[in-house]
Amino acid sequence: MMSVKPYAQAEGSKKEQVTAMFNRIAPKYDFLNHLLSMGIDKLWRRRVVRIVARKKAPVVLDVATGTGDLAIALAGIHPKPTAVYGADISAGMLARAAQKVSKRGLQHTIVLKEADSEALPFTDRFFDAVTVAFGVRNFGDLHQGLCEMNRVLKPGGSLVVLEFSRPHIFPFKQLYGCYFAHVLPWWGGLISKDKEAYDYLPASVLHFPEGKAFEEALVQAGFEVEKSRRQTLGIATIYVAHRPLQ
Ligand SMILES: C[S@@+](CC[C@H](N)C(=O)[O-])C[C@H]1O[C@@H](n2cnc3c(N)ncnc32)[C@H](O)[C@@H]1O
């Protein structure tokens, strides 16, 4: 699958461009996210949290945590995790996350770290569970990012990935395709003042492996896939996998 960069005509690697893009859109990210998804993104994150809750994981890492919504939701699991780490490459996104974490008094549970998913600053076998929501599609090197998540998981530890996918059912496929390719970039560009960032969103989803192809990428990185569940007619998919015991 071809990897797309946010600013096709500009200099810099995909990773550099993605970091710059998220730093730029960070102040508007939450507002636009909930508006353009009509709030469905919150429902999907809640499902990820329920899966992690069933795994009874005391130490959790949320990769590409962005403005921290998933890390904050994970900190609310009962019994409470001992620690939730949130790692992200964008300082701008993490600054928003830090504000939200301290507003909720969660600074003793949530540890935010500026870090690249392809070189995570954690020792091997440290985490009981790793999550990543709408992050893997943005990695410069998907295989390396998945291998890193595998490395920092304890054997038997779980990975839960939430990522956009493509609806297959007529006529929803066509209607959603039109919204995603035309309406969403127009609104996103207008509000964020970064049209290319919201052109990149549908382009990156179109060129990203979904379903069996993503499961294959997980296996290549050393995971055993437990299940994939398409969400809301296939707009997104939740993948659950674990690091094998041996
Ligand atoms: C679409 S946002 C998702 C944020 C958050 N997980 C959510 O659900 O709202 C993607 C995030 O991935 C981060 N990201 C992209 N590439 C990364 C990398 N190589 N390492 C760490 N974070 C990365 C971006 O900075 C951005 O915050």
Side-chain angles (χ1 to χ4, degrees):
M1 280 254 170
M2 191 181 92
S3 178
V4 286
K5 296 200 290 185
Y7 310 107
Q9 308 308 325
E11 293 285 300
S13 65
K14 177 177 177 184
K15 195 185 295 183
E16 288 163 346
Q17 290 197 5
V18 161
T19 309
M21 179 185 82
F22 280 105
N23 280 335
R24 203 169 300 148
I25 64 175
K28 293 276 178 352
Y29 177 83
D30 281 341
F31 173 73
L32 272 170
N33 214 8
H34 304 325
L35 176 78
L36 297 174
S37 78
M38 297 171 223
I40 306 173
D41 60 308
K42 292 184 190 176
L43 172 80
W44 297 333
R45 283 195 201 83
R46 277 205 294 277
R47 289 184 177 157
V48 170
V49 171
R50 278 207 294 275
I51 294 167
V52 177
R54 284 199 290 272
K55 303 285 181 189
K56 305 210 182 317
V59 186
V60 185
L61 168 65
D62 182 38
V63 173
T65 197
T67 58
D69 281 357
L70 184 52
I72 290 167
L74 289 165
I77 288 176
H78 295 286
K80 212 174 171 58
T82 334
V84 177
Y85 288 73
D88 200 283
I89 202 164
S90 157
M93 295 290 272
L94 283 176
R96 311 297 289 191
Q99 285 170 356
K100 286 154 74 175
V101 166
S102 71
K103 202 167 149 196
R104 288 163 179 77
L106 287 170
Q107 57 276 30
H108 302 297
T109 309
I110 299 180
V111 182
L112 296 171
K113 260 192 185 297
E114 191 175 332
D116 181 356
S117 59
E118 288 154 44
L120 290 170
F122 305 108
T123 51
D124 296 359
R125 305 169 174 229
F126 189 75
F127 295 100
D128 300 284
V130 174
T131 58
V132 50
F134 309 112
V136 286
R137 182 175 36 88
N138 297 294
F139 291 177
D141 181 337
L142 174 64
H143 179 68
Q144 177 61 21
L146 294 178
C147 286
E148 272 295 88
M149 295 196 272
N150 189 280
R151 176 184 69 76
V152 300
L153 264 178
K154 288 177 187 162
S158 299
L159 171 70
V160 186
V161 178
L162 168 61
E163 189 50 85
F164 283 115
S165 44
R166 300 180 286 279
H168 298 162
I169 303 164
F170 174 85
F172 185 69
K173 175 183 169 181
Q174 286 69 14
L175 289 170
Y176 178 75
C178 179
Y179 169 75
F180 203 54
H182 303 292
V183 181
L184 182 147
W186 191 84
W187 274 110
L190 189 75
I191 297 170
S192 70
K193 308 266 185 288
D194 189 337
K195 173 85 166 60
E196 283 170 289
Y198 285 87
D199 284 335
Y200 164 75
L201 175 57
S204 63
V205 174
L206 192 67
H207 292 99
F208 192 72
E210 63 161 23
K212 292 281 169 226
F214 188 73
E215 287 183 11
E216 182 52 33
L218 288 168
V219 170
Q220 292 296 324
F223 288 100
E224 273 173 11
V225 178
E226 289 174 27
K227 59 182 176 191
S228 309
R229 290 279 179 273
R230 284 167 74 77
Q231 306 294 311
T232 322
L233 298 170
I235 299 176
T237 300
I238 295 176
Y239 304 88
V240 185
H242 62 263
R243 177 174 172 167
L245 283 170
Q246 289 304 317

